[in-house]
């Protein structure tokens, strides 16, 4: 079985603060893929990043950075100098084998509110 | 390619009616997924296709739900005898088979919002 846990239901920060969104996953697969998506109030799921299990290199993209640690099964997402436009629900997801087939499992999401 | 396209964007129906949604994936993508999302929840997996083959169906998918992907192109999701509990956003996503490229993305459409009265 595979599972994604986003323990933080809701986070509020003041603009320009840094914020980290936590994601912990479970899978028995040795090859798997991790994703982060942003869902603004408009409702569309916007792809942010995909990380392969065999690539533990951390990644930075502008104000966004991701910390992948296989030892703790975590794939955390940090927004530096947050902005009001970052307000959204953020989902972590896992693509892994499930009984011979692959499917994507989502966490329950973290709602981020950036206060001006 | 303009991305994953879903229609209609909104559907209002009366309980007991049948509804059908359509998803047009990115043309070169061989995988297509259907998800359902209710307010305040993450997307829940329903089913997925590899080309025209439906490889897995969630236990969430009752006998009233059926999905097809003829010729491995667009897909349809039909709900028969709709119930109020079916009200949700139905999301479609597509990708290449994972591992084909390290840049692969799972891209979502805008969804179809179903309201069953």
């Amino acid at each position: 079985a595979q599972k994604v846990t986003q323990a933080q239901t809701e986070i509020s920060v003041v603009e320009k603060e840094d914020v980290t969104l936590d994601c912990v996953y479970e899978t028995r697969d040795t090859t798997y893929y991790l994703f982060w998506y942003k869902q603004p109030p408009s409702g569309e799921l916007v792809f942010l990043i995909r990380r392969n299990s065999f690539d533990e290199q951390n990644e930075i993209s502008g104000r966004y950075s991701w910390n992948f640690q296989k030892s703790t099964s975590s794939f955390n997402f940090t927004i530096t100098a947050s902005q009001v436009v970052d307000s959204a629900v953020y989902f972590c997801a896992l693509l892994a084998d499930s009984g011979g087939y692959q499917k994507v499992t989502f966490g329950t999401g973290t709602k981020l509110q950036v206060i001006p | 390619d303009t991305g994953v396209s879903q229609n209609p964007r909104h559907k209002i129906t009366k309980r007991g009616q049948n509804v059908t949604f359509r998803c047009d994936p990115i043309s070169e993508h061989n995988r297509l997924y259907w998800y359902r999302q209710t307010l305040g929840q993450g997307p829940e997996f329903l089913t997925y296709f590899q080309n025209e083959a439906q490889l897995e169906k969630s236990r969430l998918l009752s006998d009233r739900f059926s999905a097809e992907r003829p010729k491995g192109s667009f897909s349809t999701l039909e709900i028969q005898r709709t119930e109020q509990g079916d009200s949700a956003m139905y999301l479609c996503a597509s990708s290449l088979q994972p591992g084909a490229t390290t840049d692969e993305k799972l891209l979502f459409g805008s969804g179809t919002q179903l309201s069953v009265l």
Side-chain angles (χ1 to χ4, degrees), chain B residues 1-56:
Chain B
D1 201 333
T2 56
V4 180
S5 176
Q6 289 187 250
N7 65 80
R9 289 296 304 274
H10 303 276
K11 179 71 178 177
I12 300 173
T13 190
K14 290 184 180 179
R15 189 177 52 184
Q17 298 293 306
N18 299 342
V19 294
T20 299
F21 311 140
R22 177 178 170 126
C23 172
D24 287 272
I26 292 172
S27 55
E28 63 267 26
H29 284 183
N30 51 12
R31 285 213 170 171
L32 186 149
Y33 296 81
W34 283 100
Y35 281 81
R36 179 172 67 188
Q37 186 179 22
T38 53
L39 201 62
Q41 301 296 316
E44 295 175 297
F45 170 80
L46 294 179
T47 188
Y48 89 96
F49 293 83
Q50 173 98 359
N51 299 311
E52 67 276 6
Q54 187 173 16
L55 295 187
E56 189 176 2

Side-chain angles (χ1 to χ4, degrees), chain A residues 33 35 37 39 42-45 47 50 52 54 91 95 98 100-109, chain B residues 31 33 35 37 40-43 45 48 55-56 91 98-99 101-110:
Chain A
Y33 308 85
F35 302 83
Y37 288 87
Q39 190 171 45
S42 60
E44 190 161 343
L45 277 165
F47 171 89
R50 160 189 151 144
N52 307 330
F54 45 85
F91 290 98
L95 171 62
S98 174
Y101 302 115
Q102 293 182 320
K103 68 176 187 182
V104 181
T105 301
F106 282 79
T108 50
Chain B
R31 285 213 170 171
Y33 296 81
Y35 281 81
Q37 186 179 22
Q41 301 296 316
F45 170 80
Y48 89 96
L55 295 187
E56 189 176 2
L91 295 163
T101 164
T102 56
D103 291 332
E104 193 40 53
K105 305 170 186 176
L106 178 65
L107 298 177
F108 281 82
S110 300

Side-chain angles (χ1 to χ4, degrees), chain B residues 54-93:
Chain B
Q54 187 173 16
L55 295 187
E56 189 176 2
K57 291 172 61 173
S58 165
R59 276 170 261 167
L60 292 174
L61 220 59
S62 76
D63 291 343
R64 297 184 297 105
F65 288 69
S66 62
E68 294 182 342
R69 192 183 182 197
K71 302 177 184 177
S73 56
F74 71 92
S75 176
T76 58
L77 177 67
E78 182 183 14
I79 309 174
Q80 296 182 325
R81 304 181 303 282
T82 53
E83 301 172 357
Q84 286 184 324
D86 297 332
S87 296
M89 174 75 82
Y90 289 84
L91 295 163
C92 175

